[in-house]
Amino acid sequence: MLLKLNDSEDLYKTVVDRLNQGGIVALPTDTVYGLAVDAANEAAVDKLNRLKSRASKPYTFFIPKNKLDQYALVVKKKIIDYFL
């Protein structure tokens, strides 16, 4: 399903709903559109892999700063705080 919405509260609710349902969302960046899924949803990641014909190439992973220690060993917290 392709949705084009204006920047509004409804847009953000729709994006979150789609991600929670395992959907793929296209997001504009500086140069191209990126595709986003809920990385904790294995079925959504599988769907993205099939769409992109990607079996082993890694993805960029965005997580909230307050959950970083759940995914990585943070040894230089001051550097993380500076850049994030």
Side-chain angles (χ1 to χ4, degrees), residues 38-40 59-63 71:
D38 174 2
Y59 292 105
T60 302
F61 187 49
F62 294 95
I63 59 172
Y71 298 93

Side-chain angles (χ1 to χ4, degrees), residues 17-80:
D17 288 345
R18 293 284 183 253
L19 292 172
N20 286 337
Q21 295 168 5
I24 299 172
V25 177
L27 304 170
T29 69
D30 290 346
T31 54
V32 297
Y33 280 84
L35 298 176
V37 298
D38 174 2
N41 181 331
E42 191 172 335
V45 174
D46 288 342
K47 188 186 306 184
L48 182 62
N49 284 334
R50 285 192 310 277
L51 176 70
K52 295 183 64 69
S53 299
R54 183 182 278 189
S56 61
K57 188 176 176 187
Y59 292 105
T60 302
F61 187 49
F62 294 95
I63 59 172
K65 183 179 166 185
N66 65 344
K67 295 189 180 210
L68 182 60
D69 60 349
Q70 294 176 16
Y71 298 93
L73 174 62
V74 179
V75 293
K76 301 285 185 180
K77 187 164 178 358
K78 286 184 181 182
I79 293 173
I80 301 263

